[in-house]
């Protein structure tokens, strides 16, 4: 499958120009079979896991804030020790710090 078909099939073109595939910066298949892909197009970097867009430079802060903000109404999360399960991209830790 060509890069264009990959992005077309997974509907990745909502923020990209029609007809052009982003540059693949990094691609890796993990030991458990997860496909990790980082792309860049017109200065915007995007992270895909198994073909699904996780976040990009445009919405990255909003995505991580969506996990942290609801907790603030139930606890005093500021100045407390916090356990982050998962959070491999570091965005949650950055948001909390």
């Amino acid at each position: 499958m060509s890069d264009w078909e990959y992005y077309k099939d997974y509907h990745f073109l909502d923020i990209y120009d029609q007809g052009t595939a982003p540059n693949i910066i990094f691609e890796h298949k993990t030991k458990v079979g997860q496909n990790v892909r980082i792309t860049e197009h017109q200065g915007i970097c995007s992270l895909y896991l198994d073909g699904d867009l996780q976040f990009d430079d445009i919405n990255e802060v909003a995505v991580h804030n969506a996990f942290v903000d609801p907790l603030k109404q139930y606890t005093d999360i500021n100045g407390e020790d916090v356990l982050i399960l998962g959070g491999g991209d570091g965005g949650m830790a950055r948001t909390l710090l």
Side-chain angles (χ1 to χ4, degrees):
M1 175 182 299
S2 72
D3 286 341
W4 167 244
E5 291 169 327
Y6 179 85
Y7 290 97
K8 180 176 170 253
D9 289 347
Y10 288 103
H11 310 287
F12 292 145
L13 296 175
D14 54 339
I15 62 170
Y16 301 119
D17 292 337
Q18 294 292 324
T20 61
N23 298 321
I24 299 171
I25 297 172
F26 176 81
E27 187 165 27
H28 176 72
K29 189 159 197 132
T30 66
K31 292 179 184 178
V32 296
Q34 184 178 45
N35 183 31
V36 178
R37 183 179 275 198
I38 299 173
T39 65
E40 183 274 330
H41 188 270
Q42 296 182 348
I44 299 170
C45 292
S46 304
L47 171 66
Y48 297 93
L49 299 179
D50 292 331
D52 293 324
L53 176 64
Q54 301 300 301
F55 56 82
D56 57 30
D57 288 341
I58 295 171
N59 69 1
E60 181 267 334
V61 173
V63 167
H64 291 101
N65 284 344
F67 289 101
V68 175
D69 289 345
L71 298 175
K72 292 179 181 178
Q73 65 182 338
Y74 298 109
T75 184
D76 180 20
I77 204 167
N78 298 322
E80 298 291 325
D81 292 333
V82 176
L83 172 65
I84 300 172
L85 301 174
D89 63 19
M92 184 79 65
R94 188 218 45 240
T95 299
L96 291 170
L97 294 174

